Amino acid sequence: MIAEKTGLSKPDSKLAMAFMWVTFISLLIGGLMGLLQTLVRTGNFTLPFGIGYYQILTVHGVILGLVLTTFFIIGFQFALMAKTVGMTSKQRKYGWASFWVMLIGTTASAIMILLGKASVLYTFYAPLKAHPIFYFGLTLVIVGSWIACFVNFRQLYKWKKEHPGEHSPLLAFMVVINMLMWFICTLGVAATVLIQFIPWSLGLDGEINILVSRTLFWYFGHPLVYFWLLPAYMAWYAILPKIIGGKIFSDSLARLAFILFLIFSIPVGFHHQLLEPGIDPMWKYIQVVLTFAVVIPSLLTAFSMFATFEITGRQKGYTGLFGWLRHLPWKDVRFFAPFMGMVAFIPAGAGGIINASNQMNQVVHNTIWVTGHFHLTLATTVILTFFGISYWLVPVLTGRKIDKKINTLGMTQTIVWLVGMFFMSGSMHLAGLLGAPRRSAFSEYQGSAQAAEWIGYQYGQAIGGSILFIGILIMLYNFFYMTFKAPKGVEEFPIAASPTGTEPTPLVLENWRLWIGITVVLIGFAYTIPFVDIIQNSPPGSPPFEWPIGNN
Ligand code: HAS
């Protein structure tokens, strides 16, 4: 009965729900660490039991930035694929294999961090060295995610064979683009972990080439941010229109935006390394130009969202320049949370463009401005959209319905989150402009006059962090309520229809060979010469640097 209306069978729901559990447990652990960090940075709080600042910073970054996101995304995408193109029992088995491999990897890495043997932050920059099990754990997380990639590829392939000449469902197309991008970019991080970090951490290799490791990391690190963003865009393009009572603005435009992400999101990693010596400035310049190219699909998305809202409003009879804004379902959390995420993306995206501009990057690089940037992009735009998705997805998976109580709590949670983030991310941006460094346990720098300018903002961060922690507690309550307490029933799996009477989507948009080919050529162009140069002109490698336990 439930399967008929939501289109998800019980076994499909169980699989996606397993990923949701890890997501929300991660939210609790990672969020608590974030709260502790902001308290330490006020200068008035010391961590108990010899726990180190960099230890909790690593837990925070790894659990929220890598674990929560990857589990939510893969679980959500499995649900989308099951709904749109179906999932065979064999594919589901592989889906479970991906879950367990990722979970074992996560647990192994988390144990090492908690034991104080991997306080290397989520970027695990060399020459900071972690226990080899930390790197093995990360490898398993990647391998598990690759299993999910191939399940998704297989699902679409099978559907296409059974529906010759038809366009793939938009959401399935988007999932496959995201997983293709993920697969290509994780090859970089897998290479540095397997070839450089693991032998080095086992003591088989005395030294590590730092620039090679960071270049391979950022080859992965920037597409990683779009791996987080694209599932939010899936919801914006194909789910929100249904929630507001409209249709997708343009199927072709949505597909084009996703293809542009595939092509342009990878050959841009140097914009994270603009201040690093050893990379030819010409290649940095080329990758900055490509970075500005990857802004285009986000601008297309902004245009498409405004068009969706306006067309739907006018169809409902709202007139005037901005009259159509009134039709939006402001009291429906499934719309309100992602919409506020969109609004936050306007300043967040502008911040990204500042970061990418070479001269301005000199001002903000390695300051807490960058931390402010990713709390606005990832922790506001993306996470608020993920929360918004959870308000219908979790009830769909548990066979319950979103009720008035959870809707009101969800609205409250969104507002608490926005207020908390306004203080925390706002303070980070401002302190960063005054030069306050990121990744630092210190607050007063032994009474330095310059650091005194930052203290007020550090209090602002602690106030924001505390409000955000309240937001986390509300969200966890909501998750438990939707899982165990909400009234039983059939919740809608909202997927919008494509517009009628428009030009058909061009077939070339599904020419996978063409798009993968262009992606590979562009990566080869942007990376081959500088990478060979980096290897040929390397300075001596570095021996490992390890934190003592209690790494304050
Ligand atoms: Fe970034 C650093 C550049 C987007 C995440 N970024 C980071 C780091 C993270 C991160 C985690 O070039 C730190 C990494 C570390 O640990 O060192 N970023 C960009 C650029 C974009 C960008 C150009 N970043 C993101 C997104 C992230 C993310 C998205 C996570 C999800 N970022 C950088 C650079 C650095 C960096 C440098 C390195 C800094 C350094 O020196 O270390 C672009 O993709 C942004 C484009 C976005 C837009 C906005 C479009 C707006 C839309 C909303 C429309 C609203 C509507 C509703 C319709 C152009 C789509 C409005 C309705 C109303 C009624 C108002």
Side-chain angles (χ1 to χ4, degrees):
M1 162 86 171
I2 289 174
E4 271 167 34
K5 292 213 178 167
T6 65
L8 278 194
S9 70
K10 254 200 159 155
D12 290 339
S13 302
K14 230 176 134 185
L15 174 62
M17 197 58 196
F19 283 90
M20 294 302 131
W21 270 104
V22 180
T23 302
F24 285 95
I25 293 170
S26 304
L27 180 65
L28 176 64
I29 303 171
L32 181 63
M33 300 301 141
L35 173 66
L36 294 177
Q37 277 156 233
T38 57
L39 296 178
V40 171
R41 291 298 298 262
T42 61
N44 283 325
F45 176 77
T46 312
L47 289 166
F49 315 120
I51 299 172
Y53 178 82
Y54 299 107
Q55 199 177 347
I56 60 167
L57 184 55
T58 308
V59 179
H60 178 73
V62 170
I63 291 285
L64 293 183
L66 302 179
V67 177
L68 178 150
T69 48
T70 312
F71 274 84
F72 182 90
I73 291 166
I74 293 183
F76 174 49
Q77 293 186 159
F78 273 145
L80 293 178
M81 293 299 277
K83 169 83 182 160
T84 54
V85 290
M87 190 177 225
T88 62
S89 59
K90 193 171 168 200
Q91 288 162 355
R92 202 175 305 113
K93 266 192 203 140
Y94 280 108
W96 277 109
S98 108
F99 173 79
W100 286 112
V101 172
M102 280 171 61
L103 191 63
I104 293 168
T106 300
T107 313
S109 298
I111 290 174
M112 287 303 121
I113 303 170
L114 293 171
L115 289 175
K117 291 188 179 297
S119 300
V120 292
L121 313 192
Y122 89 104
T123 41
F124 57 91
Y125 266 7
L128 280 181
K129 196 195 87 164
H131 192 282
I133 293 179
F134 171 80
Y135 303 113
F136 280 116
L138 288 186
T139 310
L140 284 183
V141 175
I142 301 284
V143 171
S145 72
W146 284 350
I147 300 175
C149 285
F150 285 98
V151 172
N152 293 152
F153 298 160
R154 180 77 203 162
Q155 282 172 291
L156 186 61
Y157 177 77
K158 190 167 174 297
W159 188 93
K160 289 287 280 182
K161 283 216 126 176
E162 288 162 3
H163 300 80
E166 281 183 45
H167 276 296
S168 54
L170 179 59
L171 279 165
F173 173 88
M174 290 170 154
V175 169
V176 169
I177 290 269
N178 200 26
M179 290 312 248
L180 253 178
M181 183 181 78
W182 176 251
F183 181 72
I184 298 174
C185 79
T186 44
L187 292 172
V189 73
T192 179
V193 169
L194 293 177
I195 299 169
Q196 293 192 282
F197 279 95
I198 290 184
W200 178 67
S201 68
L202 286 169
L204 302 174
D205 214 346
E207 293 178 343
I208 192 164
N209 185 326
I210 294 178
L211 191 52
V212 167
S213 75
R214 290 191 187 180
T215 303
L216 286 171
F217 181 86
W218 287 118
Y219 165 89
F220 150 81
H222 198 72
L224 167 70
V225 315
Y226 296 116
F227 174 70
W228 299 329
L229 183 69
L230 292 195
Y233 277 11
M234 292 174 202
W236 295 6
Y237 274 110
I239 284 164
L240 275 199
K242 172 80 176 175
I243 292 173
I244 67 169
K247 287 189 173 170
I248 293 168
F249 167 65
S250 160
D251 184 277
S252 313
L253 183 141
R255 285 178 206 251
L256 176 68
F258 270 63
I259 289 170
L260 292 178
F261 274 116
L262 173 68
I263 294 176
F264 289 118
S265 68
I266 303 174
V268 297
F270 284 167
H271 73 225
H272 290 265
Q273 298 174 279
L274 289 176
L275 265 100
E276 256 175 67
I279 304 171
D280 187 319
M282 185 59 186
W283 290 101
K284 287 184 180 171
Y285 170 75
I286 288 171
Q287 294 211 8
V288 161
V289 172
L290 291 170
T291 304
F292 279 87
V294 79
V295 170
I296 293 169
S298 282
L299 296 176
L300 292 179
T301 306
F303 170 77
S304 187
M305 290 302 110
F306 275 110
T308 307
F309 298 150
E310 180 175 353
I311 290 170
T312 313
R314 294 203 187 281
Q315 275 166 355
K316 288 183 182 172
Y318 289 85
T319 50
L321 193 55
F322 294 112
W324 47 271
L325 270 171
R326 279 187 290 131
H327 84 91
L328 294 170
W330 295 109
K331 292 188 179 152
D332 183 342
V333 67
R334 297 172 310 157
F335 162 77
F336 183 66
F339 181 85
M340 294 321 286
M342 273 181 212
V343 174
F345 203 37
I346 296 174
I353 292 169
I354 290 172
N355 297 345
S357 311
N358 184 60
Q359 288 81 340
M360 286 192 269
N361 186 271
Q362 324 286 307
V363 179
V364 297
H365 183 69
N366 273 344
T367 73
I368 202 159
W369 159 285
V370 176
T371 319
H373 163 69
F374 65 72
H375 280 87
L376 214 48
T377 46
L378 175 60
T380 310
T381 301
V382 170
I383 288 296
L384 275 183
T385 305
F386 287 1
F387 288 168
I389 293 168
S390 308
Y391 289 113
W392 57 264
L393 182 63
V394 175
V396 161
L397 301 179
T398 54
R400 294 176 186 271
K401 275 189 82 67
I402 176 171
D403 60 5
K404 211 170 164 224
K405 172 178 164 178
I406 211 68
N407 193 62
T408 313
L409 270 174
M411 300 287 292
T412 315
Q413 198 279 339
T414 309
I415 292 165
V416 169
W417 198 264
L418 288 167
V419 173
M421 207 50 94
F422 175 80
F423 280 106
M424 196 182 83
S425 175
S427 305
M428 286 173 167
H429 276 95
L430 293 172
L433 286 182
L434 295 174
R438 66 184 285 207
R439 306 186 183 108
S440 165
F442 302 105
S443 302
E444 298 161 53
Y445 292 86
Q446 296 179 325
S448 119
Q450 192 185 0
E453 291 179 14
W454 309 330
I455 291 287
Y457 297 109
Q458 284 162 191
Y459 274 99
Q461 288 167 35
I463 293 168
S466 309
I467 299 173
L468 282 166
F469 193 66
I470 296 171
I472 286 178
L473 295 179
I474 305 175
M475 191 62 219
L476 287 170
Y477 175 81
N478 293 352
F479 175 71
F480 277 100
Y481 185 87
M482 288 187 288
T483 307
F484 298 115
K485 289 258 184 260
K488 294 218 160 146
V490 179
E491 182 64 42
E492 181 192 25
F493 196 127
I495 297 186
S498 293
T500 40
T502 53
E503 289 284 314
T505 303
L507 277 173
V508 68
L509 292 175
E510 281 207 64
N511 187 337
W512 294 103
R513 281 204 190 114
L514 175 69
W515 305 122
I516 296 172
I518 294 178
T519 306
V520 172
V521 168
L522 205 56
I523 293 172
F525 163 68
Y527 270 111
T528 310
I529 296 176
F531 198 64
V532 169
D533 186 39
I534 288 170
I535 293 175
Q536 280 181 344
N537 298 303
S538 284
S542 170
F545 180 92
E546 260 179 289
W547 288 110
I549 301 238
N551 40 56
N552 281 303

